Amino acid sequence: MPVITYAQALNDALREEMRADRRIFLMGEDIGLHGGIFRVTKDLMSEFGHERVRDTPISEAGFVGLGVGAAMAGMRPVVELLFMDFALVAADQIVNQAAKLRYMAGGQVSIPLVIRTQQGGGRGNGAQHSQSFESWLAQVPGLIVVAPATPADAKGLLKSALRCGNPVVFIEHKLLYNTKGEVPQGDYTISIGKAEVKRAGRDLTIVAYSRMTLLALEAAEKLAQEGIEAEVIDLRTVEPLDMTTILDSVRGTARLLVVHESHSNCGLGAEIIARVYEEAPEALATPARRLGAKHVPIPVAEGLENAVLPQVTDIIALAKGMV
Amino acid sequence: MPVITYAQALNDALREEMRADRRIFLMGEDIGLHGGIFRVTKDLMSEFGHERVRDTPISEAGFVGLGVGAAMAGMRPVVELLFMDFALVAADQIVNQAAKLRYMAGGQVSIPLVIRTQQGGGRGNGAQHSQSFESWLAQVPGLIVVAPATPADAKGLLKSALRCGNPVVFIEHKLLYNTKGEVPQGDYTISIGKAEVKRAGRDLTIVAYSRMTLLALEAAEKLAQEGIEAEVIDLRTVEPLDMTTILDSVRGTARLLVVHESHSNCGLGAEIIARVYEEAPEALATPARRLGAKHVPIPVAEGLENAVLPQVTDIIALAKGMV
Amino acid sequence: MALALERLPEAYRQMQIIRKFEEAIRNLYSQGRIRGSFHPCVGQEGVAVGASWALRADDFLSCTYRGHGHALAKGLSPRAAMAEMLGKATGCSKGKGGSMHFTDASVGLLGANAIVGAGIPHAAGAALAMQLQGGGGTNGRIALAAFGEGAVNQGVFHETLNLIAIWKLPVILVCENNLYSEMTPSHETTAAAAQIAAGPIAAASPQTYQRAAAYGIAARQVDGNDVETMYLAVEEAAGRARAGEGATYIEAMTYRLWGHMMGDPEVYRTKEEVSQARENEPIVRLGRRLQGLGWTEAGLARLEAEAEAVIADAVQFAENSPLPKPEDAFTDVFA
Amino acid sequence: MALALERLPEAYRQMQIIRKFEEAIRNLYSQGRIRGSFHPCVGQEGVAVGASWALRADDFLSCTYRGHGHALAKGLSPRAAMAEMLGKATGCSKGKGGSMHFTDASVGLLGANAIVGAGIPHAAGAALAMQLQGGGGTNGRIALAAFGEGAVNQGVFHETLNLIAIWKLPVILVCENNLYSEMTPSHETTAAAAQIAAGPIAAASPQTYQRAAAYGIAARQVDGNDVETMYLAVEEAAGRARAGEGATYIEAMTYRLWGHMMGDPEVYRTKEEVSQARENEPIVRLGRRLQGLGWTEAGLARLEAEAEAVIADAVQFAENSPLPKPEDAFTDVFA
Ligand SMILES: Cc1ncc(C[n+]2csc(CCOP(=O)(O)OP(=O)(O)O)c2C)c(N)n1
Ligand SMILES: Cc1ncc(C[n+]2csc(CCOP(=O)(O)OP(=O)(O)O)c2C)c(N)n1
Ligand SMILES: [Mg+2]
Ligand SMILES: [Mg+2]
């Protein structure tokens, strides 16, 4: 299988789907000639033209709103938010509109809208450009939220998102774009709502997604050197949650650690823990734990940022404390 | 003690604090001559004038942003969002600005801004006028989030919020405004971050806040008729969480049920449960449970809305299943 | 093209249907049989009928919580609308949307919206879809956004106007200027270009159409209480949009005869102001016009009675309809 | 009042300080010693110095991620600024804010902001505070918001302009029109009133000041690369604001000589366009002006060397400063 970057995998997914489906068009800042700050839309304007690859003004509420309207009128818009942090200026269109219009219409309309964006820290971009909002968006009924960790998952999930006919927030990570991985050739999809065991292990289950999957895998390798075999589950989709895969794993390992980059408070870690205690309380031998960003805004200086965001060493320390 | 409504208690708090502190001024839609849709700012314009009680255009992002700036320049603005749902059009100013500017400035500025609003369902106001966002806002470092259930707590907490010097989202509930209760005379405050045991009991702990406190108390009375004594904790502040009070209670009852009106997913129920398992895993005799709104938008028709929002009967059923 | 004379009685009947619809709701509301809030459009029927009638059935429309008139005029069935008000399973949204979210995809009604300004980009997006599907033309179909004058102070209004202008979208923007936003006179909260004197129609009102002009969008103010004027303005705008000439902003001056919603004490205006406005309201106006064209009072009363019957039927239908089942709350989230 | 002739050398030196500051950062950045993004203001120093100098020390200022120039001109110490760039404990924000969030409360710098448009209401709010504290006057103090021309398409810009207009807030709005928003020419994304021909300064650029005029805010376009013109415009606007005459919108035409940020391949413009712009850049312009007033090349070189020394000192200070301690990440959230 060819080895390509995460950014290229996304670019391929967009290109292939746009060739196959004329309803798909793109809107976002600098996505055209420039091909996007992270190069995900590279060369798409030259292939598909200005009509289908539209550079927008800095009007996130406006163009997400246009996406909602175009989706209701039969198109399959993909809107790009340059940084997840800017979802806040478009929050009404995402949460009050895209997520709810179908329901409020009793099912008469559908909103096949994909909102692509990237999030996360680790680059010193500061408090307004480093946030992770998946735990917030997972609170919103009517949104599907995916956050792939690998190029192959990114491509397969983006194709699924474009075909699924519902509002999807498709979350990329700024530090993943240049990571590489094998990606199958030809058309394939990854199912929305299906987690994957990225590493098998018997001693504890680490649930992660997006970039935290890579950190979890790295931690697992180091733990293995000390004789601790961690199973690493990559959620890939954070809403809906694949509890089956989580529970199957936890029933085997009896230990659960959830790692995510959004803040701990009311985060997916808490949610997964609450569900495991609801659905399989007998499964756990030690209390479940979660690791998220600490409860402060994300600072810029490296030492500070590292103190706030989950690190491999934090995962290892927590894991060791559990087995 | 005089018995007054929740709305009147808030009105008294605003009036007393405005008399005492010239830095306080109000901005919001229809708060002036009309005194607010829910009458919380009744007669304040006539006492304090147009300068300090300002009717705004329908520009939530704008006037919350003005509040942030005025706060940095030494004022103590109180901005009213007519419905919590409209926080979404002002989300950037609340989450990226009010919550973070102090931190990003290394502590050089402070943002003594109170954002008052009301939330929740039960009136058939539909999906865009019935949401509860406290679990989302609790995810945001830099915000204090309070949600009082009684007139006395509402008054005392609003005074604390106005004096605390930090951004506070002050959450009222549309179905509480006409509820009545005893309110102490004269000046008093309720501490931010302090929960209260509103009913003592030995068999299980029910944690709630805002209107759900009233439902929990009602459920507790009914449970008592069947010999089950529930302890009801009213959080009053949802961020920061008063874990001490929760843990003390849970250590006594060994059973925990959290009830809130925001959606279950990544909600405060999950958060509290995760913390209890982290901090006192040995305390629980049965798995902790939580009850929030079901994961669909809030519908209008009564039977549908009741199926989605937590009801007294749901609390009773869950509680019975735990003891 | 102007609204044909022979359609005027039909327009009168349509406005009466809207009026009776709102009256029936007020009645049901006061009996405690309707939940949520209700924002009547009484007095604004001229805008609703003039605007919706100038559209084709397959054109798109987005409107607001005060949009019952637009929805009915666009073709939403009074039965489905009334059943929705009563929270019935036969409602246009099966009881899930209620008064503020009337939707009928079969007649291009994208939906009423309860967030001020939020529906404007939806119409623009539908127009963009038509432009894309028409390969740069409009595919024959266009979109209209109706909103109150208070919406011009909401950010998404501006963002959308700019997008409409730069992409030459086939959109018609209808600002229903009824002088008030909830309980606040809009001129107190709405700045306008200093150099342009207040227009002839309502001296105290903000000139919101100047905002649109700042984006190079053709913009004008019209008398929204005159259904023929309204129709003509939208008809012309539709022609421009279909011809690929871009958007038009129409500020339709009108007046809300009832309060902002049920329970509004109306402290912000005088009784005299309201009774003066009654002389100028669209149904009275069209009635006078029809009389000028030879209609008798009896003839008009017959049209009114027909409207009454339509609404009585709708109420009966709604009352006899079943409630949704609790488990229905969990469907219609995803396609 | 115009900028006094005897202050022109100082202005030249101040602009050079800003230029050298950005050059030093580029240098450090390419060595991998600066984290995050860096949005240089090279070429826009005239706006920064002209605007900030026309303010008093106790006036408020909000600016953007591209606001290093404004911040330094307003009085932020180059040492504290450079230490912030290097993530040091001695940085103006103790390493927490970084390049995009320069703040110095002691000189009225409310903060740079990394969200397009978001700082504009903060300046307006500070102005409102002054109006309230001054009992309806301005208390002698006013506020200035600096932002790029891309910000005029962001909703909060409009919401704030309306609020500024209706409340007659003592604000100066400085739009730094450098023709591009990131990698997109702003005229492609920004609609303007059709009837007004493109101005003399940059034919292809959007006329953003017309947007302000639609709110009745006094609005004009000026040559932002001429520091004296810029100073005078802001000086006059400050006078109006202090006198309670309300806000002024100044569209300052300028040009960003470097890319949007480090790593920008600049595919969106030609090398010729950039080299042409170099002839017209503010430091060159003021240099020519000073030579006209009798300054020698050597004299200008001395001013430049002084600036160089200030920045060299700042870099040294920053390099010698301690890193923040990890536990410092958890302070400064609440007052
Ligand atoms: C974003 C937002 N803010 C506030 C409200 C509350 N609200 C509902 S209607 C209304 C007044 C709207 O006035 P206008 O646009 O003139 O329309 P009208 O009601 O007069 O038809 C307000 C403020 C809302 N629905 N959405
Ligand atoms: C709300 C928001 N959307 C997008 C961005 C990303 N972004 C950063 S700078 C920029 C361009 C801004 O252009 P302009 O306002 O002209 O200012 P300039 O950078 O030219 O000074 C964009 C789109 C942002 N920071 N905030
Ligand atoms: Mg109105
Ligand atoms: Mg620019």
Side-chain angles (χ1 to χ4, degrees):
Chain A
M1 276 192 282
V3 172
I4 60 173
T5 64
Y6 188 93
Q8 186 60 51
L10 292 164
N11 184 264
D12 289 350
L14 288 172
R15 183 179 309 97
E16 290 170 22
E17 293 298 302
M18 287 182 80
R19 284 181 185 161
D21 188 345
R22 279 213 50 90
R23 296 170 302 178
I24 300 175
F25 72 102
L26 318 183
M27 292 188 277
E29 291 154 15
D30 305 305
I31 65 171
L33 181 60
H34 184 64
I37 293 275
F38 299 98
R39 325 296 297 140
V40 174
T41 53
K42 190 159 98 65
D43 297 336
L44 297 181
M45 185 183 263
S46 61
E47 176 166 350
F48 299 103
H50 287 68
E51 291 285 314
R52 289 181 72 196
V53 182
R54 306 180 86 96
D55 276 326
T56 63
I58 313 173
S59 308
E60 286 82 0
F63 67 77
V64 173
L66 258 66
V68 170
M72 284 197 284
M75 302 298 288
R76 304 230 148 187
V78 182
V79 298
E80 178 178 304
L81 298 173
L82 215 44
F83 283 70
M84 176 61 101
D85 313 70
F86 312 155
L88 292 168
V89 291
D92 180 70
Q93 288 296 328
I94 300 170
V95 175
N96 274 336
Q97 311 301 331
K100 294 182 176 48
L101 287 181
R102 176 178 174 78
Y103 187 82
M104 296 192 308
Q108 289 181 74
V109 297
S110 61
I111 321 275
L113 170 70
V114 175
I115 301 174
R116 278 190 48 245
T117 188
Q118 58 77 28
Q119 70 175 25
R123 281 197 352 176
N125 286 122
Q128 295 177 334
H129 278 66
S130 305
Q131 294 169 92
S132 296
F133 284 162
E134 75 282 1
S135 297
W136 162 40
L137 296 166
Q139 285 177 358
V140 181
L143 295 180
I144 291 167
V145 184
V146 301
T150 67
D153 287 344
K155 182 171 176 189
L157 274 167
L158 186 48
K159 285 180 166 249
S160 291
L162 285 163
R163 297 177 191 180
C164 88
N166 288 304
V168 179
V169 183
F170 191 94
I171 304 180
E172 302 158 16
H173 194 292
K174 51 174 76 61
L175 290 182
L176 289 178
Y177 285 123
N178 292 325
T179 59
K180 289 187 175 173
E182 291 193 337
V183 173
Q185 265 170 320
D187 188 41
Y188 74 97
T189 57
I190 304 284
S191 297
I192 288 171
K194 274 300 296 165
E196 185 180 58
V197 177
K198 285 256 165 39
R199 182 187 196 283
R202 56 166 192 269
D203 297 326
L204 96 150
T205 301
I206 306 181
V207 174
Y209 52 89
S210 188
R211 188 168 94 90
M212 289 298 129
T213 300
L214 307 195
L215 271 64
L217 288 169
E218 193 182 328
E221 288 312 310
K222 298 209 168 121
L223 287 164
Q225 290 162 18
E226 308 192 33
I228 300 172
E229 290 298 335
E231 180 143 305
V232 176
I233 295 180
D234 178 7
L235 284 181
R236 307 195 290 195
T237 300
V238 299
E239 176 56 36
L241 269 179
D242 181 358
M243 284 309 294
T244 311
T245 301
I246 296 172
L247 291 172
D248 280 355
S249 174
V250 169
R251 287 203 175 93
T253 63
R255 284 166 177 82
L256 170 65
L257 169 63
V258 187
V259 185
H260 55 72
E261 204 176 320
S262 61
H263 295 287
S264 272
N265 224 19
C266 298
L268 272 152
E271 177 61 26
I272 292 168
I273 290 172
R275 287 205 206 179
V276 169
Y277 282 108
E278 276 161 8
E279 298 176 28
E282 72 300 338
L284 294 170
T286 61
R289 302 299 302 270
R290 45 52 197 270
L291 174 66
K294 306 286 188 308
H295 200 61
V296 296
I298 316 294
V300 167
E302 190 161 14
L304 301 178
E305 194 179 23
N306 289 346
V308 172
L309 297 180
Q311 305 293 316
V312 172
T313 49
D314 299 327
I315 301 175
I316 293 173
L318 272 173
K320 282 196 197 168
M322 294 174 70
V323 293
Chain B
M1 277 193 284
V3 171
I4 60 174
T5 64
Y6 188 93
Q8 187 60 49
L10 292 164
N11 184 265
D12 288 350
L14 289 172
R15 182 179 310 97
E16 290 170 22
E17 293 299 302
M18 288 182 80
R19 284 181 185 161
D21 188 346
R22 279 215 48 93
R23 296 171 301 176
I24 299 174
F25 72 102
L26 318 183
M27 292 189 277
E29 292 153 15
D30 306 305
I31 65 171
L33 180 60
H34 183 64
I37 293 277
F38 299 98
R39 324 298 295 143
V40 173
T41 53
K42 192 158 99 63
D43 296 335
L44 296 180
M45 184 182 262
S46 60
E47 175 166 350
F48 300 104
H50 287 68
E51 291 284 315
R52 289 181 74 196
V53 181
R54 307 179 86 96
D55 276 326
T56 64
I58 312 173
S59 308
E60 286 82 359
F63 67 76
V64 173
L66 257 67
V68 170
M72 286 197 283
M75 302 298 288
R76 305 230 148 187
V78 182
V79 299
E80 177 178 306
L81 299 173
L82 214 44
F83 283 70
M84 174 62 100
D85 313 70
F86 312 154
L88 292 168
V89 292
D92 180 70
Q93 289 296 328
I94 300 170
V95 175
N96 274 334
Q97 312 300 330
K100 295 182 175 47
L101 287 181
R102 177 179 174 79
Y103 186 82
M104 297 191 308
Q108 290 181 73
V109 298
S110 61
I111 321 276
L113 171 70
V114 176
I115 301 173
R116 277 190 48 245
T117 187
Q118 58 77 26
Q119 69 175 24
R123 281 200 348 177
N125 287 122
Q128 295 177 333
H129 278 66
S130 304
Q131 295 169 92
S132 295
F133 285 161
E134 74 283 0
S135 297
W136 162 39
L137 296 167
Q139 286 178 358
V140 181
L143 295 181
I144 291 166
V145 185
V146 301
T150 67
D153 287 344
K155 182 171 178 190
L157 273 167
L158 186 48
K159 285 180 166 249
S160 292
L162 285 163
R163 297 177 192 182
C164 87
N166 289 304
V168 179
V169 183
F170 191 94
I171 304 179
E172 303 158 15
H173 194 292
K174 50 176 78 58
L175 290 184
L176 289 178
Y177 285 123
N178 291 326
T179 60
K180 290 187 175 172
E182 290 193 338
V183 173
Q185 263 169 322
D187 188 41
Y188 73 98
T189 58
I190 303 286
S191 298
I192 288 171
K194 275 300 296 164
E196 184 180 59
V197 176
K198 284 258 167 36
R199 181 187 197 283
R202 55 167 193 266
D203 297 325
L204 97 152
T205 301
I206 305 181
V207 174
Y209 51 89
S210 189
R211 188 168 93 89
M212 289 299 129
T213 301
L214 306 197
L215 271 63
L217 288 168
E218 193 181 329
E221 289 312 310
K222 298 210 169 121
L223 287 164
Q225 290 163 18
E226 309 191 33
I228 301 171
E229 290 298 335
E231 181 145 303
V232 176
I233 295 181
D234 178 8
L235 285 180
R236 306 195 291 194
T237 299
V238 299
E239 175 57 35
L241 268 179
D242 181 358
M243 284 308 294
T244 312
T245 301
I246 296 172
L247 291 172
D248 281 354
S249 174
V250 169
R251 287 203 175 92
T253 62
R255 285 168 176 82
L256 170 65
L257 168 63
V258 187
V259 184
H260 55 72
E261 204 177 320
S262 61
H263 296 287
S264 271
N265 223 21
C266 297
L268 271 152
E271 177 61 26
I272 291 168
I273 290 172
R275 289 205 206 179
V276 169
Y277 282 108
E278 276 160 9
E279 297 175 30
E282 73 299 339
L284 293 170
T286 60
R289 302 300 302 270
R290 49 40 202 273
L291 174 66
K294 305 288 187 310
H295 200 61
V296 295
I298 316 295
V300 166
E302 190 161 16
L304 301 178
E305 193 180 24
N306 289 347
V308 171
L309 298 180
Q311 305 292 318
V312 172
T313 48
D314 300 326
I315 302 174
I316 294 173
L318 272 172
K320 283 197 196 168
M322 294 173 70
V323 294
Chain C
M1 274 190 321
L3 184 56
L5 287 187
E6 57 272 27
R7 290 189 71 197
L8 291 185
E10 207 180 324
Y12 186 84
R13 189 169 158 277
Q14 176 70 73
M15 291 200 286
Q16 286 283 13
I17 287 175
I18 296 168
R19 178 75 52 97
K20 305 294 170 197
F21 185 78
E22 303 291 65
E23 287 172 354
I25 293 172
R26 178 163 67 172
N27 190 25
L28 292 162
Y29 200 95
S30 66
Q31 296 167 31
R33 289 164 68 200
I34 287 182
R35 310 187 78 219
S37 12
F38 160 47
H39 306 85
C41 69
V42 169
Q44 306 184 197
E45 297 88 347
V47 183
V49 174
S52 286
W53 278 29
L55 296 181
R56 291 187 348 204
D58 61 352
D59 290 331
F60 294 97
L61 171 70
S62 77
C63 59
T64 76
Y65 50 88
R66 202 181 303 290
H68 296 174
H70 289 276
L72 293 170
K74 188 73 171 65
L76 172 63
S77 121
R79 285 183 164 199
M82 191 57 79
E84 189 63 27
M85 292 302 303
L86 289 179
K88 295 301 180 78
T90 53
C92 54
S93 302
K94 309 178 189 168
K96 291 175 184 172
S99 173
M100 303 205 282
H101 302 291
F102 281 2
T103 307
D104 186 346
S106 72
V107 298
L109 179 61
L110 294 171
N113 213 297
I115 302 296
V116 167
I120 306 174
H122 304 163
L128 172 59
M130 295 308 102
Q131 200 188 57
L132 284 163
Q133 289 171 15
T138 77
N139 207 14
R141 294 165 74 187
I142 61 171
L144 185 148
F147 50 89
E149 81 290 352
V152 306
N153 296 321
Q154 186 69 216
V156 78
F157 166 85
H158 293 279
E159 296 190 4
T160 305
L161 259 62
N162 182 58
L163 284 158
I164 287 171
I166 59 168
W167 291 346
K168 296 208 187 348
L169 298 179
V171 183
I172 305 169
L173 295 151
V174 172
C175 174
E176 264 179 290
N177 190 337
N178 62 9
L179 314 191
Y180 296 92
S181 297
E182 293 204 339
M183 291 73 181
T184 300
S186 293
H187 66 87
E188 290 178 11
T189 57
T190 311
Q195 66 274 24
I196 303 183
I201 294 165
S205 95
Q207 313 290 307
T208 76
Y209 70 94
Q210 298 160 8
R211 300 248 180 126
Y215 301 88
I217 294 176
R220 55 193 286 214
Q221 205 176 46
V222 303
D223 180 353
N225 284 350
D226 180 32
V227 70
E228 293 176 87
T229 301
M230 193 63 211
Y231 180 93
L232 188 61
V234 175
E235 228 282 329
E236 281 173 10
R240 293 189 62 234
R242 281 189 232 283
E245 289 163 25
T248 308
Y249 185 98
I250 299 168
E251 178 167 17
M253 301 309 299
T254 182
Y255 195 82
R256 192 190 69 202
L257 290 172
W258 295 2
H260 165 66
M261 59 181 187
M262 292 294 93
D264 176 356
E266 300 183 47
V267 288
Y268 47 84
R269 60 182 183 185
T270 60
K271 292 227 160 54
E272 293 71 58
E273 180 183 308
V274 181
S275 59
Q276 257 186 339
R278 290 198 180 278
E279 319 261 295
N280 187 37
E281 60 115 312
I283 295 184
V284 167
R285 291 267 293 275
L286 185 56
R288 283 202 290 262
R289 166 89 160 124
L290 284 169
Q291 285 181 315
L293 290 171
W295 277 68
T296 60
E297 297 232 352
L300 294 180
R302 204 187 62 238
L303 293 172
E304 185 176 348
E306 283 170 22
E308 194 98 61
V310 168
I311 298 305
D313 167 76
V315 172
Q316 204 188 348
F317 170 83
E319 287 179 331
N320 292 340
S321 289
L323 290 170
K325 294 190 288 295
E327 59 268 31
D328 295 339
F330 306 104
T331 59
D332 295 323
V333 181
F334 289 117
Chain D
M1 275 188 321
L3 184 55
L5 287 186
E6 57 274 24
R7 288 189 72 196
L8 291 184
E10 207 182 325
Y12 186 85
R13 187 168 160 279
Q14 176 69 73
M15 289 200 287
Q16 287 283 11
I17 287 175
I18 297 168
R19 178 73 53 97
K20 305 295 172 197
F21 185 80
E22 302 292 64
E23 287 171 354
I25 292 172
R26 177 163 69 173
N27 191 25
L28 292 162
Y29 199 95
S30 65
Q31 296 167 31
R33 289 164 68 201
I34 286 182
R35 311 186 77 219
S37 9
F38 160 47
H39 306 85
C41 68
V42 169
Q44 305 183 197
E45 297 88 349
V47 183
V49 174
S52 285
W53 279 28
L55 297 180
R56 290 185 350 202
D58 61 351
D59 289 332
F60 295 97
L61 172 70
S62 78
C63 59
T64 76
Y65 49 88
R66 202 181 302 291
H68 296 174
H70 289 277
L72 293 170
K74 188 74 171 67
L76 172 63
S77 124
R79 286 183 163 198
M82 191 57 80
E84 189 63 28
M85 292 302 303
L86 289 178
K88 295 303 181 75
T90 54
C92 55
S93 302
K94 308 180 191 167
K96 290 175 186 173
S99 173
M100 303 205 283
H101 302 291
F102 282 2
T103 307
D104 186 346
S106 72
V107 298
L109 179 61
L110 294 172
N113 212 297
I115 302 296
V116 167
I120 307 174
H122 304 163
L128 172 59
M130 294 309 101
Q131 199 188 61
L132 284 163
Q133 289 171 16
T138 79
N139 206 13
R141 294 165 74 187
I142 61 171
L144 185 148
F147 50 89
E149 83 288 354
V152 306
N153 296 320
Q154 186 69 215
V156 77
F157 166 85
H158 292 279
E159 295 189 4
T160 306
L161 259 63
N162 182 58
L163 284 158
I164 287 172
I166 59 169
W167 290 346
K168 297 207 187 347
L169 298 179
V171 183
I172 304 169
L173 296 151
V174 172
C175 175
E176 265 180 290
N177 189 338
N178 62 9
L179 314 191
Y180 296 92
S181 296
E182 292 205 342
M183 292 74 180
T184 300
S186 293
H187 66 87
E188 290 179 9
T189 56
T190 311
Q195 65 275 21
I196 302 183
I201 294 165
S205 94
Q207 313 290 307
T208 75
Y209 70 94
Q210 299 161 8
R211 301 248 179 126
Y215 301 89
I217 293 177
R220 55 193 286 215
Q221 206 176 44
V222 304
D223 180 353
N225 284 349
D226 181 34
V227 69
E228 293 176 87
T229 302
M230 193 64 211
Y231 180 93
L232 189 61
V234 175
E235 229 283 330
E236 282 173 9
R240 294 189 62 233
R242 280 188 233 284
E245 290 163 24
T248 308
Y249 185 97
I250 299 168
E251 178 167 17
M253 301 310 299
T254 183
Y255 194 81
R256 193 190 68 201
L257 289 172
W258 296 2
H260 166 65
M261 60 181 187
M262 293 293 91
D264 176 357
E266 300 184 48
V267 289
Y268 47 85
R269 61 184 182 183
T270 62
K271 292 224 160 54
E272 293 71 57
E273 180 182 309
V274 180
S275 58
Q276 257 186 342
R278 290 197 180 281
E279 318 261 296
N280 188 38
E281 61 116 313
I283 295 184
V284 168
R285 291 266 294 274
L286 185 57
R288 283 203 290 263
R289 166 89 159 124
L290 284 168
Q291 285 181 315
L293 290 172
W295 276 68
T296 61
E297 296 232 351
L300 294 181
R302 204 186 63 237
L303 292 173
E304 184 175 349
E306 284 170 21
E308 194 97 60
V310 169
I311 298 306
D313 167 76
V315 171
Q316 207 189 346
F317 170 83
E319 286 179 332
N320 293 340
S321 288
L323 290 170
K325 296 191 287 299
E327 58 269 31
D328 294 340
F330 306 105
T331 59
D332 295 324
V333 180
F334 289 117

